[in-house]
Amino acid sequence: MSADPITGCQVHIQGIVQGVGFRPFIYLLSMRYHLTGWVRNTSSGVEIEVNGCPDDITAFLQAIRAETPPLARIDRFETAPCAPDGYSSFEIIESLPQADDFIPVSPDMSICPDCQRELFDPHDRRYRYPFINCTNCGPRFTIIQDIPYDRPKTTMAGFNMCAPCRHEYVDPLDRRFHAQPTACPDCGPQVSFVAEDTPRVDGDEAIRLARQFLRQGKILAVKGLGGYHLACDAFNPQAVDELRRRKRRSDRPFALMAFDLDAALRHCTADAGERALLESRQRPIVLLEQKPSSLIAAQVAPGQQSLGIMLAYTPLHLLLLEPEEGFPDLLVMTSGNLSEEPIAYQDADAKIRLQGIADGFLLHDRPIHMRVDDSVLREVDGGPYPIRRSRGYAPDPILLQREFPPILGAGAELKNTFCVTREKYAFLSHHIGDLENLETLQSYQEGIQHFERLFRVKPEVLACDLHPDYLSSVYAHQRAAGQNLPLYQVQHHHAHLAACLADNGWDSPEPVIGLSFDGTGYGPDGAIWGGEFLVGDYHGYQRPYHLAYAPLPGGDASVHRPARMALAHLWQAGIEWEAGLPPVQDLCAEERTVLRSQLEHHINTPLTSSLGRLFDAAAALIGVRQKATYEGQAAIELEIAADPHEQGLYELEIKDGLVDPGPLWQALIADWHNGLPVNRLSARFHNSIAQLSLQICRILRTDTNVRNVALSGGVWQNRYLLERSLRLLREDGFHVLLHRQVPTNDGGIALGQIMVAAYNHFIH
Ligand code: ZN
Ligand code: ZN
Ligand code: FE
């Protein structure tokens, strides 16, 4: 018998390959193919050297790509032959850190089926242990302080592994081999329950007491993965009301959590795609339609038909929601903060901030390094459509089509995220929030520092919004001045367009039509833009059409007063404020007089082409809502009111690059006088905007030959408008790009900013 010649091969793999069971996977494959050699983590990925027969090595290399572990992601795979080195076995050897290298970090992942089985197995040593995890699941991004990803560089550093845990940790064949957050009841974090007038209790008893509190209708603060939640019984109207009162939360809907899919489906309808999203490893909040039979308290989501619901994603959540007779199917699980503040995540701070809101605290002693909110998605056109991209997704990079030197995109003002790039990776941050108070701004700056350190990024170019007063712009301007870096100020709606292109991996020199529809964005002419029909690419844009300007009485404050917005639009169109119209009735005579003189003398009435405000005006005009407690509330309720069977619509006038809504208001008022019900009026209004989109796209196609259309901006969160526009555009032969990886709202702006800066600075 003659042995095949032994050869050698070196492999270098980049991607998400650390902390996801990659080395044991390689170890097992080496055994399957009788190879010797080693595997090790480097600060830029994983390195492998193997010796063996050529056929075995080929099969080994194929298997790496074909059988990649669930949480791993291979972005680059390089092999090179080498001389055999006479290894006698295959080993996992020590990491080799290099100062400037970087690797993507895995997001936090929901508990895996294996761990869940052990959690409820009375014979397992981690039976009912709220912090059970393994290489396939558990905390990652929220506990990592630095790379390479090793336990001393996580918030698990303070917990010394016991002998059995250590044994699993060093055994390449164990599911917990090098699972950095691994722990057990003997050596790991512990849960405790604290409430006034109750002695502190630990372990299972803590969970029992917390459940008792919930059953009694009390409000509980729960420390989770990326921060604190506030929880209460979703079926108890007093509890939900009280939570809303204490949190000082407007009418924004609360998120819900269910133990499992069955529990969620008792209250919501979900198709196969929506079920898959609910059960995905990321476990986002999914927006679903509530079943009429469900008895969820109305105060959970006032005025809404859809509910934001997620499945329990940590072992602690599973224990908290464990089904039992008389225990609620669903808990409200809203972020632990006062309205507008960032979510609490540090224990001392949470205690102070949540004291007046929560009756009791379910705590644990595993520190959270990075605050991360729950993600929110909905399903659109058979795919995920992100509303808020955070836990489970961040900091997974968006893969770019080209490599650029490092860039920082500062993002927008509302729903802020920032973005740093390195090579082909765009690391879009978790949701930071509205940059309007000191806490959020601080969390923004710390977040940028953390990302730059974690991914070893030193931005060479900066990008921010054109609006000089956004706190993110102020930050970017200061930094550009301090570090003498080039700064690109990117127009908001151009950034939306670019974000949508990057989201779709667009790398064609052809321009696209960009329908950038949102509430507000700073225009170079000083007006507030938002109903923009653009033609452009990453480099630049033209604005062939936009919604005609209307005065915005009171500026930003107008988002809370749809009635005033409606009257401003009527005034602009020269339509009389008839006594019977709902917004006229809403304002007293004196208010109307003041408003009229404000409009006539241009007192604090900046001009706007905002489509978001047009929706607000329509909502007020037909009597859906006159005052809003949060931005977009009137538009959301207008959408809910729309009758999907209605086919009627109104014309808007398109002339000289302007879209004039005057004829639409006339027709809407005439229909209102004729007694057409609100649901048909609303649908006709929606249909009009969808038809308008098609009409202008047709004109632009004739003029420019462009047939690709990108839909971006917060208005496209309106599902009725989105689905109808999609259908019309596709039927007419357009290719439509919509957001799939990053939000269509301002949460995606930072990605667009970096693309515009990259192309303008590096590609000519
Ligand atoms: Zn697991
Ligand atoms: Zn242990
Ligand atoms: Fe926007």
Side-chain angles (χ1 to χ4, degrees), residues 402-404 507 539 757-764:
R402 300 187 186 205
E403 247 176 61
F404 300 104
D507 190 37
H539 273 111
Y759 272 72
N760 280 289
H761 199 78
F762 299 111
I763 297 176
H764 297 287

Side-chain angles (χ1 to χ4, degrees), residues 677-729:
V678 162
N679 56 350
R680 294 188 61 195
L681 293 172
S682 167
R684 287 186 173 191
F685 173 79
H686 279 82
N687 297 348
S688 310
I689 304 302
Q691 184 66 28
L692 168 73
S693 300
L694 173 65
Q695 261 176 293
I696 294 196
C697 285
R698 278 178 173 162
I699 298 172
L700 294 174
R701 181 172 55 192
T702 308
D703 293 351
T704 63
N705 229 352
V706 173
R707 51 181 57 244
N708 295 298
V709 181
L711 306 183
S712 192
V715 165
W716 294 110
Q717 289 172 121
N718 183 319
R719 193 180 187 173
Y720 184 105
L721 179 70
L722 176 59
E723 291 184 340
R724 196 167 181 101
S725 304
L726 261 181
R727 196 170 61 241
L728 291 178
L729 288 166

Side-chain angles (χ1 to χ4, degrees), residues 142-145 151 153-159 366-369:
T142 51
I143 62 163
I144 294 177
Q145 292 154 330
R151 186 153 168 136
K153 288 179 177 160
T154 70
T155 63
M156 283 298 291
F159 297 95
R366 185 177 68 201
I368 299 171
H369 184 68

Side-chain angles (χ1 to χ4, degrees), residues 125-126 161-162 165 183-188:
R125 71 187 191 88
R126 292 187 180 83
M161 271 182 242
C162 66
C165 282
C184 78
D186 295 330
C187 68

Side-chain angles (χ1 to χ4, degrees), residues 104 205 287 348 352 391 420 523:
E205 183 61 12
L287 301 183
I352 297 166
R391 173 184 54 76
V420 292

